[in-house]
C-alpha cells in the first residue's frame, strides 16, 4: 500500500460552519451573554464562547471537555470562529457556579445546589428556539436521576453506588429545571420545596403547565398540594399501602377493562381514593397483571400485581386506559437522562465538586436544547430526514464534511468536498 501525506489542513467537521451560521443569525451567543452577564472587558472570550465550545464538541463527537482542544486542531483557519481552549471553558463554568446549600438532618448531611440564573436561561432559551411553546398545554415530567461518579464530594446512593442525585424537570425533550443534590439525598426529601421553586421559575417565564407527572417519590401530601396549586392536572404513582389495597378490593370484577400495554395484556379500572388520611377524594387508576408464578400475593390475596396512579383529572375523556397510557409517556422523558449521559457526556463530569459539576450539567442541557433546535431548522430546510436522530447519527449524516476556507477573488469562500446534495439548501 502506497501512502502519500499532504500537509494541507482539511477540516473533517465542515458541517460545523452551518451550525455556527444559524447560531449567529439567531443571536444565540448574544442572548446567552445577555442572560448570564459579562466576564469583564479584559477577558478575550465570553461566557457564550465557553458554553458554545462545549456544544460544538458534543456535535463533533467529543467525549469530554478536553476534546475542545482536539477539535480546535482540526478546524484550522475559520473567519467566524475563534475556538478557545478547554481550560477556558472550564474556567467559565467555575465562574458560573453557585454556592451549595447544606442541611443537617441528624447525622446525615444533605447538599443542594440551586442555580436560578441558569434555570432561567434554560427556559428562556427553550422559548427563543421554540423547542417549547410557552402558552401551550405543556406536560411537566419530574424525576431524580443518579449520576454515578467518584468525585470528592460524591455520596452513597440508595443503589449503593456513589455519585449525585439531581432533580430534573422536562417538557418533552426540553430540560427546563435542574436542582443539584448529593447522592445520599432521597428523591422525596424536601421535594415540595424543589417543585415549588420549579413551578415558580416556569411561571416567571410565562410557561404554562397543564399536566404534571411524577413517580412515587411525589406521593406526599405537600407535593400534591404544590402540584394542584400550579397545574391543571397531576398524575402521581401511589405507594403501596393498606389504604390502597382496601380501595382495590372494592373494585367490582365487572369494572376491570382488558387492554394491551407494550404488547402485554393488562386490565385497568378506577376507584375513589382518599390519601394521607384526608377527606379529599381523588381518582385512583389501577392497572393489574397476572403474576408469572400464578400464586396469590400475601398482602392482596390475589394472583395479580397492581400499580396505581392518583390523578385529579375528572374529564370524561380521561378514561382509565387513557390515564394509564398518558402516565406511561413518562418513559420518553426518562430517555432524556440517557441522552444527557451518552450524547452530552454527563457521565464524564469534569470537576471534583457538586457546585461546578452542576454548571456542566446545565451546559449539557443547553447543548441538548440547541441540538433539538438545530435539527428542527435543518429538517425544515430539507437538509436532514428526521428530527429523532441522536448526536452520533447527526455526526455521520451532517457534521462529517471535509471542508476548508480559501481566499479567492478578494473574498473568503467555504469549499466543501462532497458528492452529497443535501447541503445545497444552506448556501443556495
Amino acid at each position: 500500500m502506497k501512502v502519500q501525506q499532504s500537509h494541507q489542513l482539511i477540516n473533517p467537521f465542515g458541517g460545523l460552519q452551518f451550525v455556527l451560521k444559524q447560531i449567529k443569525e439567531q443571536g444565540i451567543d448574544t442572548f446567552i451573554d445577555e442572560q448570564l452577564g459579562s466576564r469583564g472587558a479584559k477577558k478575550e472570550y465570553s461566557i457564550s464562547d465557553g458554553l458554545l465550545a462545549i456544544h460544538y464538541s458534543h456535535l463533533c463527537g467529543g467525549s469530554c471537555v478536553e476534546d475542545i482542544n482536539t477539535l480546535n486542531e482540526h478546524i484550522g483557519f475559520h473567519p467566524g470562529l475563534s475556538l478557545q481552549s478547554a481550560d477556558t471553558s472550564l474556567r467559565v463554568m467555575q465562574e458560573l457556579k453557585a454556592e451549595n446549600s447544606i442541611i443537617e438532618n441528624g447525622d446525615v448531611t444533605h447538599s443542594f445546589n440551586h442555580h436560578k440564573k441558569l434555570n432561567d436561561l434554560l427556559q428562556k432559551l427553550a422559548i427563543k428556539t421554540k423547542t417549547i411553546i410557552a402558552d401551550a398545554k405543556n406536560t411537566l415530567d419530574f424525576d431524580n436521576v443518579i449520576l454515578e461518579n467518584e468525585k470528592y464530594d460524591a455520596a452513597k446512593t440508595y443503589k449503593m453506588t456513589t455519585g449525585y442525585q439531581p432533580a430534573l424537570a422536562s417538557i418533552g425533550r426540553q430540560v427546563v429545571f435542574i436542582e443539584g443534590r448529593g447522592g445520599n439525598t432521597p428523591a422525596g426529601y424536601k421535594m415540595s420545596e424543589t417543585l415549588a421553586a420549579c413551578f415558580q421559575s416556569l411561571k416567571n417565564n410565562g410557561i404554562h403547565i397543564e399536566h404534571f407527572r411524577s413517580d412515587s417519590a411525589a406521593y406526599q401530601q405537600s407535593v400534591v398540594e404544590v402540584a394542584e396549586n400550579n397545574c391543571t392536572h397531576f398524575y402521581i404513582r401511589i405507594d403501596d399501602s393498606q389504604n390502597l389495597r382496601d380501595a382495590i378490593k372494592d373494585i367490582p370484577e365487572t369494572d376491570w377493562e382488558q387492554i394491551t400495554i407494550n404488547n402485554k395484556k393488562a386490565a385497568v379500572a378506577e376507584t375513589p381514593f382518599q390519601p394521607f388520611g384526608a377527606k379529599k377524594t381523588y381518582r385512583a387508576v389501577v392497572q393489574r397483571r397476572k403474576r408469572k408464578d400464578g400464586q396469590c400475593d400475601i398482602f392482596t390475596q390475589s394472583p395479580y400485581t397492581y400499580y396505581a396512579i392518583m390523578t385529579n383529572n375528572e374529564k370524561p375523556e380521561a378514561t382509565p386506559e387513557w390515564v394509564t397510557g398518558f402516565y406511561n409517556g413518562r418513559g420518553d422523558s426518562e430517555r432524556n437522562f440517557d441522552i444527557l449521559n451518552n450524547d452530552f457526556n454527563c457521565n464524564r463530569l469534569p470537576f471534583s465538586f457538586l457546585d461546578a459539576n452542576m454548571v456542566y450539567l446545565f451546559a449539557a442541557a443547553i447543548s441538548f436544547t440547541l441540538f433539538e433546535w438545530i435539527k428542527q431548522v435543518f429538517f425544515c430546510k430539507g437538509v436532514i430526514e428526521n428530527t429523532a436522530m441522536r448526536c452520533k447519527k447527526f455526526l455521520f449524516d451532517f457534521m462529517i464534511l471535509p471542508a476548508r476556507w480559501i481566499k479567492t477573488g478578494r473574498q473568503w469562500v467555504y469549499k466543501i468536498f462532497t458528492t452529497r446534495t443535501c447541503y445545497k439548501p444552506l448556501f443556495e
Side-chain angles (χ1 to χ4, degrees):
M1 179 177 68
K2 291 184 178 181
V3 177
Q4 287 186 342
Q5 182 177 357
S6 171
H7 294 285
Q8 183 179 16
L9 183 59
I10 304 293
N11 177 12
F13 304 112
L16 184 59
Q17 164 60 26
F18 301 113
V19 174
L20 178 66
K21 183 174 182 289
Q22 294 298 324
I23 286 176
K24 293 292 185 181
E25 287 180 352
Q26 296 300 317
I28 300 297
D29 49 350
T30 304
F31 179 79
I32 291 173
D33 288 327
E34 288 174 350
Q35 300 302 315
L36 299 181
S38 171
R39 297 183 67 209
K42 294 184 179 180
K43 300 288 186 180
E44 182 180 358
Y45 297 101
S46 65
I47 291 175
S48 63
D49 289 332
L51 297 180
L52 289 173
I54 296 171
H55 174 58
Y56 301 147
S57 175
H58 289 153
L59 295 186
C60 295
S63 59
C64 60
V65 177
E66 286 72 19
D67 284 337
I68 294 173
N69 295 334
T70 305
L71 178 61
N72 213 348
E73 295 173 2
H74 286 306
I75 288 176
F77 171 77
H78 196 299
L81 176 64
S82 179
L83 201 62
Q84 78 283 358
S85 68
D87 288 343
T88 301
S89 284
L90 291 170
R91 280 194 294 271
V92 167
M93 288 187 284
Q94 285 279 10
E95 293 167 8
L96 287 172
K97 67 184 181 183
E99 187 177 353
N100 290 340
S101 300
I102 306 298
I103 297 177
E104 301 285 348
N105 186 9
D107 296 332
V108 181
T109 300
H110 299 281
S111 298
F112 294 86
N113 188 265
H114 309 277
H115 208 307
K116 184 179 184 303
K117 187 177 287 188
L118 286 177
N119 274 317
D120 278 344
L121 173 62
L122 269 181
Q123 295 164 22
K124 290 176 180 177
L125 185 62
I127 295 171
K128 179 176 177 61
T129 58
K130 298 182 180 179
T131 54
I132 60 173
I133 305 301
D135 57 357
K137 294 182 178 181
N138 293 302
T139 298
L140 184 72
D141 291 304
F142 193 89
D143 208 347
N144 287 68
V145 57
I146 291 178
L147 293 179
E148 294 184 9
N149 60 74
E150 296 182 358
K151 301 300 179 181
Y152 185 84
D153 59 353
K156 187 169 288 188
T157 71
Y158 70 91
K159 290 187 177 181
M160 305 310 291
T161 58
T162 59
Y164 305 135
Q165 195 174 176
L168 278 79
S170 57
I171 297 174
R173 283 286 184 92
Q174 174 63 56
V175 178
V176 294
F177 184 85
I178 301 174
E179 179 194 67
R181 289 181 169 222
N184 64 330
T185 302
Y189 184 68
K190 293 190 175 296
M191 185 176 180
S192 60
E193 297 176 18
T194 300
L195 193 58
C198 174
F199 276 120
Q200 187 59 53
S201 179
L202 293 167
K203 189 176 295 183
N204 291 343
N205 288 306
I207 300 175
H208 171 68
I209 301 299
E210 181 78 7
H211 305 284
F212 169 76
R213 299 183 293 201
S214 185
D215 60 15
S216 59
Y219 182 65
Q220 307 174 48
Q221 185 172 357
S222 58
V223 174
V224 171
E225 289 172 355
V226 170
E228 279 195 292
N229 291 333
N230 290 279
C231 68
T232 308
H233 304 299
F234 69 82
Y235 311 81
I236 295 172
R237 176 81 172 269
I238 305 175
D239 274 337
D240 185 29
S241 65
Q242 187 60 49
N243 186 25
L244 176 62
R245 295 176 204 144
D246 291 340
I248 292 174
K249 287 179 182 178
D250 291 337
I251 300 176
E253 192 62 30
T254 54
D255 285 3
W256 291 98
E257 178 186 356
Q258 297 297 320
I259 64 171
T260 301
I261 303 175
N262 296 328
N263 298 319
K264 293 182 180 179
K265 292 183 178 180
V268 291
E270 65 175 285
T271 182
F273 185 61
Q274 292 182 332
F276 320 119
K279 295 181 179 180
K280 193 163 187 178
T281 302
Y282 300 98
R283 291 175 66 200
V285 176
V286 187
Q287 174 192 156
R288 74 177 186 183
R289 289 181 178 176
K290 276 272 192 180
R291 289 171 57 100
K292 291 183 179 180
D293 55 17
Q295 297 183 5
C296 290
D297 183 87
I298 190 173
F299 297 109
T300 63
Q301 297 299 309
S302 168
Y304 296 99
T305 300
Y306 294 92
Y307 305 93
I309 303 160
M310 185 171 73
T311 181
N312 62 345
N313 191 344
E314 300 285 351
K315 290 185 176 181
E317 58 267 27
T319 63
E321 182 177 4
W322 184 91
V323 171
T324 301
F326 182 73
Y327 182 81
N328 288 345
R330 285 187 65 244
D332 293 334
S333 72
E334 290 175 351
R335 276 192 281 274
N336 291 345
F337 307 147
D338 170 63
I339 295 172
L340 284 171
N341 270 336
N342 297 300
D343 290 19
F344 300 98
N345 305 326
C346 285
N347 55 359
R348 294 182 177 89
L349 299 174
F351 301 103
S352 297
F353 296 96
L354 175 66
D355 53 0
N357 280 321
M358 285 304 104
V359 177
Y360 179 75
L361 186 55
F362 276 105
I366 291 168
S367 186
F368 190 5
T369 298
L370 294 177
F371 178 54
E372 291 300 310
W373 163 69
I374 203 69
K375 286 190 297 181
Q376 187 64 45
V377 171
F378 290 159
F379 176 74
C380 291
K381 292 178 180 291
V383 177
I384 60 176
E385 295 180 354
N386 64 75
T387 59
M389 61 176 64
R390 298 277 291 263
C391 261
K392 189 174 181 179
K393 176 71 171 172
F394 186 74
L395 170 66
F396 286 141
D397 284 6
F398 182 83
M399 294 300 292
I400 296 179
L401 172 67
R404 68 188 297 256
W405 284 96
I406 60 174
K407 196 167 187 179
T408 178
R410 296 183 181 181
Q411 65 178 347
W412 288 103
V413 177
Y414 196 56
K415 187 175 182 179
I416 60 176
F417 303 85
T418 182
T419 58
R420 290 182 290 173
T421 60
C422 63
Y423 298 96
K424 283 188 176 181
L426 299 177
F427 55 78
E428 283 184 338

